[in-house]
């Protein structure tokens, strides 16, 4: 799906134009429009700041005013960090992008306006928009870099139909341990704890065993982790250990030669 246009009104710094292009390409957007910019989009400083988003900069179009930049669009949303006390619909960024996506999928053109770095959009420019999109930032410090503002809209655009779940566990080549292997480790651990006297309190023993079982099952161990745990148990229960085994002094203590 073709994305909405990103319209930067009177951008002042080449670096901000470049970083905005970078944010756009990160999020699958490539229609960059500049209104009366102070710098060319292909300025070397913009290219360096774009970190390789040259094709967005090279395809950018320049317009003399906002009206010309949005003439072919059907719906326009103006970003604004401050309340301008206008009688207009106000959309949160996510809702604005959702509605813009509906327009775009229906064959209509949509765009987002971003004002100059220092002053933001003028009231006359805001009146050209169908709705205003304020950003939910700290009211005591609402200053956003131009590229940051573009990234907020871009992120909402690319994540609106994200196929990846909000949370996932990457297994790589690992395989979850079968229940039989987990149970085998639990039985061996229980026996070892009986041998060392940890489970000597008969009244508390069932509860303690259940706690150990719940702890291990909640971890959802992988097969290789179960094998590692068996090795740990073997090291703790079957082999002599301590400084006497190696003949070396305990760590941190020195032996004086006589």
């Amino acid at each position: 799906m073709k994305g909405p246009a990103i319209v930067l009104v009177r951008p002042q710094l080449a670096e901000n134009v470049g970083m905005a292009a970078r944010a756009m390409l990160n999020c699958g957007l490539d229609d960059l429009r500049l209104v009366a910019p102070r710098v060319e989009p292909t300025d070397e400083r913009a290219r360096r700041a774009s970190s390789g988003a040259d094709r967005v900069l090279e395809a950018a179009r320049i317009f003399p005013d906002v009206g010309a930049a949005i003439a072919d669009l059907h719906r326009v949303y103006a970003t604004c960090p401050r309340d301008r006390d206008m009688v207009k619909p106000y959309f949160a960024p996510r809702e604005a992008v959702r509605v813009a996506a509906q327009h775009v999928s229906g064959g209509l053109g949509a765009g987002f306006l971003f004002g100059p770095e220092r002053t933001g959009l003028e009231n006359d420019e805001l009146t050209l928009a169908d709705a205003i999109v304020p950003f939910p930032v700290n009211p005591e410090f609402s200053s956003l870099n131009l590229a940051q503002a573009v990234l907020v809209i871009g992120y909402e655009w690319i994540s609106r139909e994200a196929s990846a779940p909000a949370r996932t566990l990457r297994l790589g080549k690992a395989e979850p341990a079968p229940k039989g292997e987990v149970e085998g480790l639990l039985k061996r651990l229980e026996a070892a704890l009986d041998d060392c006297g940890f489970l000597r309190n008969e009244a508390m023993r069932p509860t303690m065993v259940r706690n150990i079982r719940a702890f291990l099952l909640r971890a959802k161990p992988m097969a290789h982790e179960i094998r590692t745990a068996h090795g740990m148990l073997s090291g703790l229960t079957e082999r002599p250990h301590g400084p006497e085994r190696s003949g070396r002094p305990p760590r941190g203590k020195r032996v004086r030669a006589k």
Side-chain angles (χ1 to χ4, degrees):
M1 185 191 299
K2 181 178 173 62
I6 299 298
V7 185
L8 307 184
V9 180
R10 297 184 302 281
Q12 299 169 330
L13 300 176
E15 291 81 0
N16 282 342
V17 174
M19 289 188 290
R22 177 181 182 178
M24 289 175 61
L25 198 55
N26 284 154
C27 302
L29 302 175
D30 58 9
D31 186 358
L32 175 60
R33 307 181 184 193
L34 306 178
V35 175
R38 288 191 179 181
V39 293
E40 292 292 324
T42 53
D43 184 288
E44 184 57 32
R45 292 168 297 174
R47 288 184 182 275
R48 287 198 300 268
S50 76
S51 295
D54 292 34
R55 65 187 179 98
V56 176
L57 295 173
E58 291 167 359
R61 289 176 284 170
I62 298 177
F63 299 87
D65 53 53
V66 174
I70 65 174
D72 64 324
L73 302 178
H74 301 86
R75 297 291 184 271
V76 175
Y77 307 89
T79 62
C80 183
R82 299 182 303 276
D83 188 353
R84 298 294 184 91
D85 196 26
M86 285 188 173
V87 181
K88 271 186 177 295
Y90 278 71
F91 291 167
R94 184 165 300 174
E95 177 64 11
V97 168
R98 186 190 68 80
V99 176
Q102 291 177 346
H103 293 313
V104 172
S105 63
L108 302 179
F112 286 84
L113 295 178
F114 298 84
E117 294 92 328
R118 189 173 62 86
T119 60
L121 293 166
E122 297 178 354
N123 286 342
D124 288 343
E125 293 164 340
L126 288 172
T127 61
L128 298 175
D130 297 284
I132 294 177
V133 183
F135 291 137
V137 294
N138 179 3
E140 296 180 3
F141 189 71
S142 60
S143 174
L144 279 181
N145 175 272
L146 180 58
Q148 290 176 317
V150 172
L151 185 59
V152 170
I153 297 300
Y155 176 79
E156 294 295 349
W157 173 262
I158 200 169
S159 63
R160 72 194 188 285
E161 293 180 351
S163 58
R167 178 177 178 179
T168 184
L169 175 66
R170 305 265 176 145
L171 298 182
K173 296 182 179 180
E175 297 180 355
K179 287 292 186 183
E181 292 185 10
V182 177
E183 187 64 24
L185 176 64
L186 284 166
K187 292 296 185 184
R188 185 180 175 192
L189 178 59
E190 185 180 338
L193 293 174
D194 275 327
D195 290 342
C196 73
F198 181 78
L199 299 176
R200 60 183 175 274
N201 188 326
E202 289 298 326
M204 290 297 297
R205 189 181 188 284
T207 299
M208 296 170 72
V209 170
R210 283 195 297 270
N211 288 344
I212 294 169
R213 181 180 298 274
F215 161 72
L216 187 57
L217 292 179
R218 191 165 58 247
K220 298 180 175 60
M222 300 292 111
H224 70 281
E225 294 169 338
I226 293 293
R227 294 192 293 271
T228 300
H230 276 294
M232 291 165 58
L233 276 174
S234 296
L236 290 170
T237 61
E238 298 175 6
R239 300 175 187 175
H241 55 279
E244 297 81 7
R245 175 169 63 94
S246 62
R248 294 193 299 267
R251 183 177 296 179
K253 295 183 180 180
R254 293 184 180 180
V255 177
R256 244 181 233 180
K258 294 182 180 179

